[in-house]
Amino acid sequence: MILLFFRRNYCIMGSLFFLFISVTYVLSHYTLQFMEKGVPLNNRYLYATPSERQRMDKKPCYRQSAIVFLLLGILFATLGLQSIFRHRILFILYWTLLFVTPAYAVASAIWPVMRKLKDNVS
């Protein structure tokens, strides 16, 4: 009986931790990137030289970062809610987001480079 009580409390504490992380992601990173404030947290921007950074269009960098941070926030919120409520649909949603988020991050980072190469070849 006592072990069940402690096990349930650790589960709730872990769930609250993931919910806190999700709120932090959405409020801080997503809103800043969506409003185009601060440094865009994007590989293309971070690896560019200072002269390239001033010339480049930062709007796609902000957009990609905002979407990735929103997906991460939803992912952590789903994980926290799934560990509290134990619903199958939240479990499926969590695993779907777990695979979709990195796939989107990689695909959206490669897409502009591939488009630029295609335009240069044509």
Side-chain angles (χ1 to χ4, degrees):
M1 182 76 171
I2 293 173
L3 289 176
L4 182 63
F5 175 75
F6 285 121
R7 187 172 159 196
R8 184 69 180 160
N9 280 345
Y10 284 131
C11 179
I12 291 173
M13 287 171 39
S15 302
L16 292 176
F17 175 72
F18 283 119
L19 290 173
F20 175 75
I21 288 175
S22 71
V23 168
T24 303
Y25 261 95
V26 170
L27 289 180
S28 64
H29 297 301
Y30 170 71
T31 53
L32 286 176
Q33 297 297 308
F34 184 71
M35 294 185 310
E36 297 181 5
K37 304 276 186 198
V39 176
L41 299 173
N42 187 308
N43 283 342
R44 197 172 97 204
Y45 180 80
L46 295 175
Y47 290 141
T49 62
S51 62
E52 288 176 349
R53 288 180 184 175
Q54 290 181 355
R55 288 181 293 146
M56 78 175 3
D57 181 24
K58 297 179 188 101
K59 193 169 209 119
C61 296
Y62 280 118
R63 183 175 182 266
Q64 185 221 10
S65 299
I67 292 172
V68 168
F69 283 124
L70 179 66
L71 287 173
L72 285 173
I74 294 171
L75 178 83
F76 284 121
T78 306
L79 179 63
L81 292 174
Q82 193 274 333
S83 61
I84 290 174
F85 296 116
R86 308 262 187 221
H87 284 289
R88 185 179 187 101
I89 194 80
L90 291 171
F91 180 76
I92 293 169
L93 182 63
Y94 168 73
W95 280 101
T96 303
L97 285 171
L98 190 64
F99 288 111
V100 167
T101 302
Y104 173 77
V106 170
S108 64
I110 293 174
W111 184 259
V113 175
M114 295 300 288
R115 191 175 343 154
K116 187 185 289 185
L117 288 175
K118 182 182 168 190
D119 290 341
N120 288 341
V121 171
S122 298

